Amino acid sequence: MPRMRAVDAAVAILEMEGATQAFGLPGAAINPLYDAMRKHGGIRHVLARHVEGASHMADGYTRAAPGNIGVCIGTSGPAGTDMITGLYAAQADSVPILCITGQAPVAKLDKEDFQAVDIAAIAAPVTKMAKTVLEAAQVPGVFQKAFQLMRSGRPGPVLIDLPIDVQLTEIEFDPDTYAPLPVVNPAATRAQVEKALDMLAAAERPLIIAGGGVVNAGAEDLLVTLVETLQVPVVPTLMGWGAIPDDHPLTAGMVGIQTSQRYGNASFLESDAVLGVGNRWANRHTGGLETYRRGRTFVHVDVEPTQIGRVFAPDYGIVSDARAFLALAVEVAQERRAAGRVPDRREWVAACAERKGKLLRKTHFTDVPIKPHRVYEEMNRAFGRDTVYVTTIGLSQIAGAQLLHVYRPRHWINAGQAGPLGWTGPAALGVATARPEAEVVALSGDYDFQFMLEELAVGAQHHLPYIHVVVNNAYLGLIRQSQRAFDMDYQVSLAFENINSAETEGYGVDHVKVAEALGCKALRVKDPEDLPAAFGKARALAAEHQVPVVVEVILERVTNIAMGVELDGVNEFEDLALSPEDSPTALALLD
C-alpha cells in the first residue's frame, strides 16, 4: 500500500473528485497543503487578497457551470472565521463549496494556542459538515464523505479543518483504487407526478414556479419541455432566473415584492394553482403569505424533505430531485397530450402575454445625473444573450432584476438569500475563472463595490477580465429607502468632498483612481447618452488588457425603486411605460 502524507492524499482526492480549482491564501498552519498542491501540480490556484474574498470566488466558480465545486483554502484562526460569510452565502443558496483550513497541532487544541479556534463549531450552522480531523488516517474518508454530502440532496458547503501535525503524518492510501461515494437523491413516483399534474389540470389559471433547484439539477430543458407540453406559464424565481428564456412565450415574468415585474405579479395574482419546483417560497418572492396564498392551491416539489411545509403547508408536497420529477412529469404530460387530456390554456396564456405588453416600467430617462433605469436599458442594448451577470443585494440588484433580461441558466449569478455586500466582485472573479470564454458583467452599487474592492488586484494579477458596472449614488440606497418608514435619512450617505479628486463632485470615493491603483482599467460616465460608448470601450479594454474594467455611472443621489410588502401593494415611484419609446428594450415591445 502506498504511503504518503495526509495532505498528499487530500490533494489526490481533490483531483479525482474533479475539484481542481482553488482560491485562497497560504499561512503557517496550512503550508503543508500548499506544499502538497505544489508537488502534485494538478490543482490550479488563485491568490486572493482576503479569505472572505476567496470564499466568494469559490462560490462564483461553483455557480458558473454544472458540476463545479470551488475550493477555498486558508490558514488557522481568522482565516476560518473570515470564511463564515462565504459559507453562509453558499449554504443559503444551496451551493457546494469546500473550505479547507489549517489548525494548531492536535495537542495544542483547547490550550489557547496562537490562532487556534474551534472553527468546526463556528461553521457548523452554515455547512452540511464541519469537522476538525484529529486522526490522519481519517483524512481520505472525511474528504470522500465531504464530496458525497456536497452533491447529495440539497447541495451545500463543507468545511474541513486540518491540524498541522495531521497534515504532515504519513498514512496508507492508494489513489489507484479510490472511488467517489455514490450520490443518491430522492425521486418522485409516478403516482405523485400524476397527482401533481391532476391538480394543475383541475385549475383554470395555473402557473409553474421554477426555483434554483431546477438549475442545480440541470433540468432546464425538461422544464421547458414540460411547460410547452402543458401550455402552462412559468414564473422563474430570482435563483431560477434563466431556467426558461425571458423571451419565451410562456415566461410570465418574475414575482415578488422587490425583484419582480409588474406583469409577473399581476399574472400571479390572477392564478388559481401553483406548482413550485426546487424553490423555497422566499419572503422576497412571496411577500405577505395571506395575499400570496389567497385563492390558490399549491404543490411543492423539493429535494430536501424539511423544506416541504417550512414556510407554509402546501396542498400537496413531493420530496424529489427536480430533474427526476421533471423527467417523469414530461413523460406523463406527453402521454396525456397524445391522449387529448391536456386542457386548452390558450386564453390564460394570451392573458399573461397581454400583461407583459401593458404593465411595463419606464426606462428611457434623459436626466443628468442619470436615473438608474436608463443604465439597465443601455445594458440590455450593449450586452448580448450570452452575458453572465453577477450581483448581490442593493437597489442596483433589485432594479437590475426588474429591468435586465436573462436567457440562459447560470447567466444570472446572484447571492440570493444571504446577500452579503462585497460578494459581487470576488464572485465575478470566480465566474471569470470558471468561464474564461464568457462575457462576465458584474453589477454593484457603490457600497457593495467598496466592500472587498481589494480583490480587483486579483483580477489584474491573474488576468481575469470582466466588466464591473458600478452605479454610484453615494448612498446606502436600499437602507435609505427603507428608512422612509421612520421618516429619516440617517447615517446612510457616503458623499463627501474628496480633497484629492475634485472630479468626483462631492460623491466621495474616486472609484476610477482606486481601480487603476489596483491594476485595472476604469471609466466614469455622467451623461446617459455616453453609456453605449462606455460599455463598448469597457469591452475593448477588457479584451486588450485582460483585466477587470470598472464602469462607474454617476446616478442621481435619490431614486426610489419599486417595492413593497405585499404582491398587490408594490409601490411604484416612476411612470408606467406608455409607448415603445418609454421602454425600448422591453421584450414585449420589440415585436
Side-chain angles (χ1 to χ4, degrees):
M1 180 78 73
R3 287 185 63 80
M4 62 186 71
R5 297 175 303 173
V7 284
D8 296 311
V11 170
I13 291 170
L14 291 180
E15 181 184 45
M16 290 183 287
E17 293 279 2
T20 56
Q21 179 64 59
F23 306 85
L25 289 84
I30 199 64
N31 271 339
L33 180 66
Y34 274 85
D35 179 56
M37 289 194 296
R38 177 183 62 88
K39 290 177 178 176
H40 181 276
I43 308 299
R44 300 179 301 276
H45 185 272
V46 169
L47 178 63
R49 295 301 187 268
H50 191 294
V51 184
E52 182 186 337
S55 68
H56 299 327
M57 291 175 202
D59 189 353
Y61 178 85
T62 296
R63 297 181 197 231
N68 278 6
I69 293 183
V71 180
C72 173
I73 304 173
T75 191
S76 57
T81 56
D82 285 342
M83 291 180 185
I84 297 301
T85 299
L87 286 166
Y88 166 41
Q91 184 262 353
D93 288 342
S94 306
V95 177
I97 64 172
L98 176 61
C99 289
I100 305 172
T101 52
Q103 182 58 277
V106 173
K108 295 290 187 178
L109 298 181
D110 203 33
K111 295 182 183 295
E112 297 190 359
D113 207 47
F114 177 66
Q115 292 191 337
V117 66
D118 189 354
I119 192 61
I122 294 170
V126 290
T127 57
K128 295 189 76 173
M129 179 179 79
K131 183 174 178 60
T132 299
V133 186
L134 302 179
E135 296 291 341
Q138 288 187 306
V139 167
V142 170
F143 273 79
Q144 189 179 37
K145 182 65 175 176
F147 281 99
Q148 183 189 44
L149 283 172
M150 285 188 286
R151 292 170 173 144
S152 298
R154 180 181 179 180
V158 165
L159 180 137
I160 299 175
D161 186 44
L162 299 173
I164 190 168
D165 52 336
V166 169
Q167 295 177 57
L168 292 168
T169 299
E170 284 200 349
I171 62 172
E172 307 278 353
F173 178 68
D174 184 3
D176 293 336
T177 59
Y178 178 88
L181 293 175
V183 175
V184 180
N185 285 320
T189 67
R190 187 176 181 90
Q192 290 172 325
V193 170
E194 292 270 8
K195 181 164 183 174
L197 296 192
D198 285 346
M199 293 174 72
L200 277 190
E204 294 182 7
R205 299 175 303 280
L207 288 173
I208 292 177
I209 305 282
V214 174
V215 176
N216 284 346
E220 307 89 359
D221 291 346
L222 290 169
L223 170 76
V224 173
T225 301
L226 177 65
V227 302
E228 289 177 345
T229 303
L230 296 176
Q231 287 295 293
V232 173
V234 180
V235 169
T237 68
L238 189 66
M239 301 308 297
W241 198 10
I244 185 169
D246 270 359
D247 57 355
H248 192 286
L250 290 170
T251 300
M254 276 198 290
V255 170
I257 56 173
Q258 292 182 349
T259 55
S260 62
Q261 287 85 38
R262 295 183 67 169
Y263 52 82
N265 283 354
S267 289
F268 182 87
L269 290 169
E270 290 295 321
S271 70
D272 60 358
V274 177
L275 166 61
V277 183
N279 64 308
R280 294 186 298 107
W281 313 114
N283 65 302
R284 289 203 297 161
H285 166 78
T286 66
L289 289 176
E290 183 178 348
T291 300
Y292 187 84
R293 298 177 66 188
R294 187 186 303 125
R296 289 166 205 93
T297 59
F298 287 89
V299 178
H300 190 198
V301 180
D302 200 273
V303 71
E304 170 54 47
T306 62
Q307 288 296 107
I308 307 295
R310 172 170 286 188
V311 177
F312 64 84
D315 297 278
Y316 187 55
I318 300 173
V319 178
S320 178
D321 168 73
R323 184 170 186 84
F325 171 82
L326 289 169
L328 192 51
V330 165
E331 180 182 322
V332 172
Q334 289 176 339
E335 291 172 2
R336 292 185 176 192
R337 176 158 289 282
R341 295 174 51 212
V342 172
D344 186 344
R345 303 288 186 201
R346 284 176 292 183
E347 185 176 339
W348 170 234
V349 170
C352 291
E354 184 179 7
R355 292 183 195 96
K356 291 175 70 173
K358 291 182 176 179
L359 297 176
L360 289 165
R361 295 183 173 109
K362 182 177 177 179
T363 62
H364 195 73
F365 295 93
T366 58
D367 307 56
V368 178
I370 300 169
K371 292 187 79 67
H373 311 70
R374 179 66 181 273
V375 181
Y376 308 115
E377 174 186 308
E378 298 299 342
M379 288 174 69
N380 282 331
R381 283 197 178 98
F383 303 117
R385 297 177 70 90
D386 293 327
T387 301
V388 181
Y389 290 112
V390 184
T391 189
T392 181
I393 187 56
L395 288 183
S396 54
Q397 177 250 18
I398 294 168
Q402 291 176 2
L403 301 171
L404 291 173
H405 305 313
V406 177
Y407 303 95
R408 290 170 174 44
R410 300 181 187 272
H411 282 60
W412 174 262
I413 295 179
N414 187 183
Q417 184 183 353
L421 289 168
W423 184 91
T424 304
L429 291 168
V431 174
T433 302
R435 299 193 54 193
E437 82 294 345
E439 181 164 62
V440 178
V441 177
L443 173 61
S444 289
D446 45 303
Y447 202 46
D448 171 44
F449 183 67
Q450 288 175 26
F451 277 62
M452 314 213 77
L453 56 77
E454 73 278 359
E455 303 303 331
L456 283 173
V458 176
Q461 178 181 358
H462 292 274
H463 300 295
L464 299 171
Y466 75 95
I467 295 171
H468 204 137
V469 179
V470 179
V471 286
N472 181 9
N473 61 1
Y475 250 124
L476 280 66
L478 179 57
I479 308 307
R480 178 207 55 75
Q481 185 166 334
S482 71
Q483 285 188 353
R484 295 172 73 247
F486 299 92
D487 193 25
M488 68 178 182
D489 184 329
Y490 182 66
Q491 292 297 314
V492 289
S493 176
L494 301 174
F496 62 91
E497 293 295 334
N498 190 323
I499 61 173
N500 299 308
S501 297
E503 61 270 29
T504 61
E505 298 177 345
Y507 274 64
V509 174
D510 190 332
H511 298 114
V512 171
K513 284 182 179 177
V514 171
E516 290 174 345
L518 290 166
C520 301
K521 292 290 185 179
L523 310 166
R524 180 177 290 118
V525 184
K526 296 182 179 181
D527 189 314
E529 301 305 319
D530 295 334
L531 284 166
F535 290 142
K537 185 174 181 180
R539 181 182 281 121
L541 288 170
E544 178 184 359
H545 298 287
Q546 294 295 291
V547 298
V549 178
V550 174
V551 180
E552 181 190 45
V553 183
I554 303 301
L555 300 184
E556 61 185 9
R557 291 295 314 282
V558 173
T559 307
N560 293 312
I561 300 298
M563 65 183 75
V565 295
E566 301 284 347
L567 292 186
D568 60 358
V570 171
N571 296 312
E572 298 288 341
F573 297 95
E574 306 292 348
D575 294 335
L576 192 72
L578 299 177
S579 69
E581 291 73 27
D582 286 341
S583 189
T585 61
L587 295 173
L589 293 179
L590 293 180
D591 298 332

